Amino acid sequence: MEENNKYAQPFDDSEESGFNIMEWVGLFLHHWYLFLFFILLALGLAYLKNRSWIESYKSTGTIILEENKYSGSQALMQGFGVQSGFRNLDNQVIMLTSYDLISRVVDSIPFLKVDYISMGKFRTRNLYYNTPVTITTDYIDPSVYGVLFKLEINSDGTYVISNEDSSAKSIKVEGRLDVPIQHYLFFMTINRTSNAISNRIMYFRFRTKESLISDFMSRLQPAFVSEGSSVLSISLTSETPNRDIDFINKLSSVFINENLERKNDAATKTINFIDEQLDTVSKSLSISEGEMTSFRRSNQIVNLSSHSSKVLGRATQYDEQMAQLKLRETYLNYLTNYLKTNIDAGSIVAPSSLGLSDPMLISLVQQFNEVLNKKSETKESNPLYARYERVLENLKNSINEVIKNMKASMAIELNDLNAKLANVSHDISALPDKEMQLIGIERKYRVDDNYYTFFLQKRAEAAIQKASNSPDNYILDKARVMALTNGGTKSRTLMTYLLISILIPSLFIILKEVLNTSIRDAKDIEKSSKFPLIGSIKHVKNTDPILAAKRPRSSFTEMFRVIRTRIEFIVQRKSKIMLLITSAEFSDGKTYFCTNLASTYGMTGLKTLLIDMDIRKPSINERLELSENDGVTNYLIGEKSLDELILKKEKYNFDILLGGTVPPNPGELIRSEQLKQMFLALRERYDYIIVDTSPIGLVADAYSLAPMMDANLFVARSGKTNKSFFKRLNDQLKDDKLKHFYVILNDINMDASRYGGYTKNYGYGYGYSYGYGGYGYGYGYGYGRKKRLKEANKYAQYYDDDSEV
């Protein structure tokens, strides 16, 4: 017997792509309702999400930072001005964002300390300037900070305060607008900002200084407008732009004022130092002036003689030099004391401001001030902090060494002056007593007067310098709203939700496919089996074992006719055909398929026999509601003849040979010679013999019977047969070189299949197109498919019996 090549050759896996995009497209289209549901859900959720959307604005102001144009020594030689460390652009940006500066800004805007909040069904806004009331506080308990309070304002000016924080103790405070209230948690007054206040509910929250500082520091964004530019933009982004604008403007103002304060610091210290000296000198001058006036009046002496005047001139010159030495000594004492005790009190007064011109001292003081300023800008955790401390310590030692040398030099000058003054004193002692006394008094007066005049001159210079100082930086543009930062949020939200609405059902479908372990349709058969698929049987609710005979015009019956035709085509004859029916495991619908296939053959009018060879668990007698039990096993053991065992029932159009009594040795009976003789005898009597045998995946009975058959039908049940087990079993049968095996896909759900009842461009393998008005076999995508379907619809009226199935 030669088989048709079309059915004899198994499918070649290499011809099939591992990924069929049209298969997945069809699968997604079949589950369109899932996509529709999730898209509608996504649109609803996106709408609700966008209802809570609040505009977020970026507010920006700009200031110009003046770069350091002069060296530190030049600035210090002038006596005043900000040191270079403070005028470095990067340092100024760091100072602008420093905790202390932002703390000062927060303190200067009291309105920040209370959040006024409006809550709607979807949106929550910070009212800031738009609030109908403002709150001024005298006392706030620390536990109240951060707690959200509800404020219910009545039209008569009364209000009720309650807390919205479920974790805190419930409170209820009643009061009247513009009237102070006292509670153990707070002393405060709620003031109206407009005369007409209707019934309204709003919320407020007290903010700690630390929380405000952290909030602004985290959002503050300083950046130079362009590379190499000294124009700095200061930006904040939030849903309350008015608050950000106030903060940026105040920050710029405080920063510029602080810069001016630093510039005036050196001049202020110089003026304070001179004032201390002037206070001492003015007292001494007043005393000496009084003494001189009193002496001249009492002795009636107006002027000294020429010789006395010369002696007095020399004495005055030496006294002025002595005063200069004392001034230098005073500054050196100030410097020594500063280095010992006041190193954190700010920069050192410049030596040049007091007339000291020692270049070594000026250079060391300059370096000391620069390093001190850098240290003040660095946190202790910074590695540079320890380095700056070491440098300061070295500079202190160097300055102390210079002071020591200067004092030694001053001691030599002092000795020289003392010698000169001694000579002058000797000359004075030779003068008359009255002139000698007057010269002593006038000497003291002139020294004090010159000293006082010197300090007044230096003080005036310092005051002029201070008055002429201006900030290095200035505001270029006040803060204003520059851009809406979240304008695309609504569309992004919608797209995100839509993407998720597509991903969720897609993942569900993919996981459902990947995790599916059972065979569902012809595609699964072709991937798992090396034997050809020759037909499929649709799922029906009716369990009648001969439904095909009772509904001959149904699509269900037509599927059996298709299989019958293909079997004839395979075996190349229309009679004397013996078929074996098996399956991978129990409950694959094997017996149900056998009874309906037998009834289909019976409708041809030819002699048909159905044999129950599942002698381990015979079930045909129960399915066909037969009272007899004897069958094949009784014949094999010689109890009865075939004529006695073959049943002929009027209600069935085929004969029946039951399995018989379950034997203790079914395997031996299956392999017996009597069984072979029985099949030979039956083949002579019947045109069609259908053998229902045990599942080949569980027992080996079908192995013994298969070689005796014209065709062996392997039944797989859609939604039940395990794919991996089915594949392994098919591979085993192929390896065992069993021939003439063909696959039947049973119980396929036409409405719940992979593509919703039919496979696009593929059909059901070698199936049918019922539901489209006709049937056929082949792949379903050959030439003229649409034309054939159109013509088949004309004959749909002849196959309209499905409603009964």
Side-chain angles (χ1 to χ4, degrees):
M1 178 184 63
E2 297 293 335
E3 296 185 67
N4 183 277
N5 290 335
K6 182 174 181 179
Y7 295 100
Q9 297 297 326
F11 286 131
D12 186 358
D13 292 338
S14 63
E15 296 178 2
E16 293 294 325
S17 173
F19 176 78
N20 190 332
I21 188 171
M22 294 307 299
E23 177 183 347
W24 284 99
V25 169
L27 192 61
F28 287 151
L29 291 176
H30 172 57
H31 293 85
W32 63 268
Y33 53 90
L34 288 178
F35 290 95
L36 178 62
F37 170 77
F38 279 100
I39 288 174
L40 293 177
L41 180 63
L43 291 174
L45 293 176
Y47 171 77
L48 294 177
K49 180 69 175 178
N50 286 333
R51 283 291 301 272
S52 62
W53 174 78
I54 299 178
E55 304 89 341
S56 178
Y57 295 95
K58 181 179 182 179
S59 305
T60 303
T62 55
I63 59 176
I64 293 182
L65 305 179
E66 183 178 342
E67 298 185 73
N68 188 16
K69 299 178 181 178
Y70 304 100
S71 66
S73 60
Q74 289 175 313
L76 286 168
M77 286 297 289
Q78 294 177 353
F80 317 105
V82 180
Q83 289 75 16
S84 60
F86 282 109
R87 297 178 69 180
N88 178 275
L89 293 181
D90 292 334
N91 289 342
Q92 292 194 71
V93 174
I94 294 173
M95 294 169 62
L96 180 68
T97 58
S98 66
Y99 184 93
D100 290 339
L101 187 66
I102 293 180
S103 175
R104 292 173 58 184
V105 175
V106 170
D107 288 337
S108 62
I109 310 178
F111 211 78
L112 296 175
K113 297 180 180 179
V114 181
D115 284 340
Y116 304 94
I117 301 169
S118 172
M119 289 188 180
K121 291 183 178 180
F122 297 98
R123 298 178 181 176
T124 299
R125 290 184 181 273
N126 190 321
L127 297 175
Y128 197 57
Y129 281 151
N130 297 323
T131 174
V133 296
T134 59
I135 299 174
T136 56
T137 59
D138 298 319
Y139 164 75
I140 300 176
D141 187 89
S143 63
V144 171
Y145 287 105
V147 177
L148 185 65
F149 291 96
K150 181 180 181 182
L151 177 62
E152 300 178 62
I153 306 174
N154 302 317
S155 57
D156 60 356
T158 61
Y159 61 80
V160 178
I161 299 174
S162 58
N163 64 324
E164 290 293 299
D165 192 346
S166 58
S167 61
K169 182 180 179 181
S170 177
I171 65 169
K172 186 176 182 180
V173 181
E174 297 181 356
R176 181 174 290 276
L177 297 177
D178 303 318
V179 178
I181 62 168
Q182 293 186 355
H183 188 268
Y184 73 94
L185 292 176
F186 41 68
F187 298 165
M188 67 180 187
T189 304
I190 300 181
N191 305 299
R192 69 179 77 211
T193 58
S194 61
N195 293 327
I197 297 181
S198 58
N199 294 340
R200 180 164 183 175
I201 296 177
M202 58 177 293
Y203 301 83
F204 66 90
R205 180 190 295 114
F206 296 113
R207 299 286 300 274
T208 63
K209 180 179 178 179
E210 290 72 19
S211 68
L212 288 169
I213 294 173
S214 299
D215 176 30
F216 285 109
M217 286 187 71
S218 63
R219 295 190 293 112
L220 194 63
Q221 298 176 333
F224 289 103
V225 173
S226 61
E227 186 176 355
S229 169
S230 62
V231 178
L232 183 72
S233 67
I234 308 171
S235 302
L236 284 171
T237 302
S238 76
E239 299 166 354
T240 315
N242 290 334
R243 181 180 64 178
D244 293 345
I245 289 173
D246 287 349
F247 181 85
I248 293 173
N249 288 334
K250 180 60 69 173
L251 177 64
S252 302
S253 175
V254 171
F255 175 68
I256 290 173
N257 290 337
E258 188 178 72
N259 172 261
L260 183 59
E261 290 173 4
R262 284 197 305 273
K263 289 190 70 173
N264 292 333
D265 181 63
T268 301
K269 286 184 177 181
T270 301
I271 292 172
N272 291 338
F273 178 81
I274 292 174
D275 285 342
E276 293 176 2
Q277 303 303 315
L278 281 173
D279 183 60
T280 302
V281 173
S282 63
K283 292 177 181 179
S284 178
L285 180 61
S286 178
I287 294 172
S288 61
E289 185 180 11
E291 289 178 351
M292 186 178 68
T293 302
S294 176
F295 183 84
R296 285 180 173 178
R297 184 182 293 116
S298 61
N299 293 281
Q300 296 184 354
I301 298 177
V302 179
N303 293 317
L304 295 171
S305 63
S306 174
H307 176 70
S308 298
S309 295
K310 290 181 179 180
V311 173
L312 179 61
R314 287 165 55 202
T316 301
Q317 178 184 355
Y318 298 148
D319 286 339
E320 288 179 357
Q321 293 179 14
M322 183 64 74
Q324 290 292 332
L325 283 176
K326 288 184 178 180
L327 179 61
R328 289 161 62 189
E329 183 181 9
T330 301
Y331 177 78
L332 294 178
N333 290 336
Y334 151 79
L335 191 55
T336 302
N337 183 64
Y338 175 90
L339 294 176
K340 287 182 179 180
T341 59
N342 298 323
I343 195 169
D344 295 326
S347 56
I348 302 174
V349 174
S352 58
S353 64
L354 296 176
L356 277 72
S357 58
D358 185 276
M360 180 65 71
L361 183 62
I362 290 175
S363 176
L364 289 173
V365 170
Q366 169 197 347
Q367 295 177 45
F368 187 90
N369 284 333
E370 288 179 352
V371 176
L372 184 63
N373 293 331
K374 291 179 180 179
K375 176 190 170 186
S376 65
E377 298 168 9
T378 308
K379 296 182 180 179
E380 293 186 12
S381 58
N382 193 316
L384 292 176
Y385 188 88
R387 177 186 174 189
Y388 291 150
E389 284 194 327
R390 291 193 300 270
V391 173
L392 287 175
E393 190 64 29
N394 293 334
L395 288 171
K396 282 172 59 178
N397 295 333
S398 299
I399 293 173
N400 285 326
E401 188 66 27
V402 171
I403 292 173
K404 181 179 177 181
N405 294 335
M406 290 182 69
K407 284 186 175 182
S409 176
M410 288 168 56
I412 296 174
E413 292 183 40
L414 182 61
N415 291 334
D416 182 61
L417 280 175
N418 285 334
K420 292 178 179 179
L421 285 171
N423 292 331
V424 171
S425 297
H426 180 268
D427 293 341
I428 292 175
S429 63
L431 294 174
D433 290 341
K434 296 293 184 181
E435 289 188 6
M436 183 177 63
Q437 293 179 19
L438 180 60
I439 287 175
I441 293 172
E442 194 164 342
R443 280 179 63 194
K444 188 175 185 305
Y445 169 75
R446 287 188 179 185
V447 170
D448 290 340
D449 182 60
N450 291 337
Y451 211 7
Y452 187 78
T453 302
F454 172 78
F455 280 125
L456 282 179
Q457 180 184 356
K458 290 299 180 180
R459 191 185 190 286
E461 291 175 0
I464 291 171
Q465 181 65 43
K466 181 178 180 180
S468 63
N469 278 342
S470 62
D472 293 328
N473 314 315
Y474 60 91
I475 297 175
L476 181 62
D477 288 314
K478 287 190 174 182
R480 66 182 186 272
V481 174
M482 300 298 291
L484 177 67
T485 60
N486 61 344
T489 301
K490 285 187 174 182
S491 58
R492 284 196 299 271
T493 300
L494 178 60
M495 295 305 297
T496 300
Y497 277 77
L498 287 176
L499 180 62
I500 293 174
S501 70
I502 294 174
L503 286 177
I504 290 177
S506 298
L507 288 174
F508 170 77
I509 294 170
I510 292 172
L511 288 176
K512 181 181 176 184
E513 285 297 304
V514 171
L515 299 178
N516 174 56
T517 60
S518 61
I519 290 174
R520 284 180 301 177
D521 54 26
K523 196 71 176 177
D524 290 336
I525 293 292
E526 293 170 9
K527 291 178 180 179
S528 304
S529 176
K530 294 185 178 180
F531 301 111
L533 174 69
I534 64 169
S536 301
I537 304 300
K538 67 181 289 185
H539 168 79
V540 293
K541 297 178 181 179
N542 197 324
T543 59
D544 192 327
I546 55 170
L547 180 63
K550 294 182 177 181
R551 298 289 182 264
R553 296 171 60 190
S554 68
S555 59
F556 176 78
T557 305
E558 193 61 30
M559 294 175 187
F560 282 94
R561 291 193 181 102
V562 170
I563 294 172
R564 183 187 66 189
T565 303
R566 290 176 178 172
I567 291 172
E568 293 172 354
F569 185 67
I570 290 170
V571 300
Q572 297 293 300
R573 59 179 181 274
K574 293 186 177 181
S575 62
K576 303 301 179 180
I577 299 173
M578 189 159 59
L579 305 174
L580 179 141
I581 315 297
T582 187
S583 63
E585 50 192 349
F586 290 115
S587 302
D588 281 342
K590 166 178 60 66
T591 301
Y592 183 78
F593 175 80
C594 289
T595 55
N596 279 282
L597 183 61
S599 64
T600 303
Y601 275 109
M603 285 189 290
T604 63
L606 298 177
K607 297 181 64 177
T608 303
L609 175 65
L610 173 62
I611 304 176
D612 188 355
M613 280 303 300
D614 190 356
I615 59 177
R616 299 172 186 270
K617 189 179 178 181
S619 59
I620 287 181
N621 56 337
E622 295 180 5
R623 293 292 182 90
L624 299 180
E625 299 178 351
L626 301 175
S627 58
E628 293 84 356
N629 291 315
D630 294 340
V632 173
T633 57
N634 301 93
Y635 169 77
L636 294 178
I637 62 176
E639 288 185 355
K640 293 184 179 181
S641 64
L642 289 177
D643 294 330
E644 296 176 303
L645 295 172
I646 293 176
L647 304 177
K648 300 179 184 292
K649 302 292 185 178
E650 292 183 2
K651 59 186 299 187
Y652 303 121
N653 57 3
F654 54 87
D655 295 344
I656 305 164
L657 178 57
L658 300 177
T661 307
V662 178
N665 55 343
E668 284 71 16
L669 290 180
I670 292 295
R671 293 171 176 79
S672 64
E673 187 63 29
Q674 294 93 324
L675 183 64
K676 295 180 181 179
Q677 296 302 322
M678 182 190 78
F679 279 123
L680 292 174
L682 292 174
R683 185 186 286 271
E684 296 299 325
R685 296 188 186 186
Y686 290 92
D687 295 301
Y688 303 107
I689 300 174
I690 299 168
V691 180
D692 179 15
T693 186
S694 304
I696 196 170
L698 302 179
V699 294
D701 295 353
Y703 270 86
S704 302
L705 299 175
M708 295 184 281
M709 304 296 158
D710 297 311
N712 303 291
L713 305 186
F714 194 162
V715 177
R717 185 172 183 176
S718 175
K720 193 269 179 186
T721 302
N722 185 275
K723 282 194 290 189
S724 59
F725 180 62
F726 179 79
K727 186 177 187 307
R728 288 196 304 270
L729 186 57
N730 271 265
D731 292 342
Q732 180 182 338
L733 294 175
K734 196 68 179 178
D735 292 340
D736 293 340
K737 295 182 171 42
L738 290 181
K739 298 180 180 180
H740 316 314
F741 264 84
Y742 307 92
V743 180
I744 302 293
L745 181 57
N746 185 33
D747 199 30
I748 186 168
N749 192 329
M750 304 289 285
D751 298 322
S753 66
R754 190 175 307 197
Y755 302 108
Y758 66 96
T759 52
K760 277 193 175 181
N761 294 330
Y762 208 86
Y764 282 112
Y766 298 94
Y768 38 82
S769 299
Y770 253 89
Y772 288 91
Y775 70 94
Y777 51 85
Y779 282 99
Y781 54 76
Y783 173 78
R785 174 178 179 272
K786 291 184 178 180
K787 182 178 180 180
R788 291 197 305 273
L789 290 176
K790 183 176 180 181
E791 292 176 353
N793 284 328
K794 298 178 182 180
Y795 302 97
Q797 57 184 327
Y798 297 107
Y799 303 100
D800 59 356
D801 211 13
D802 286 347
S803 60
E804 300 293 333
V805 194

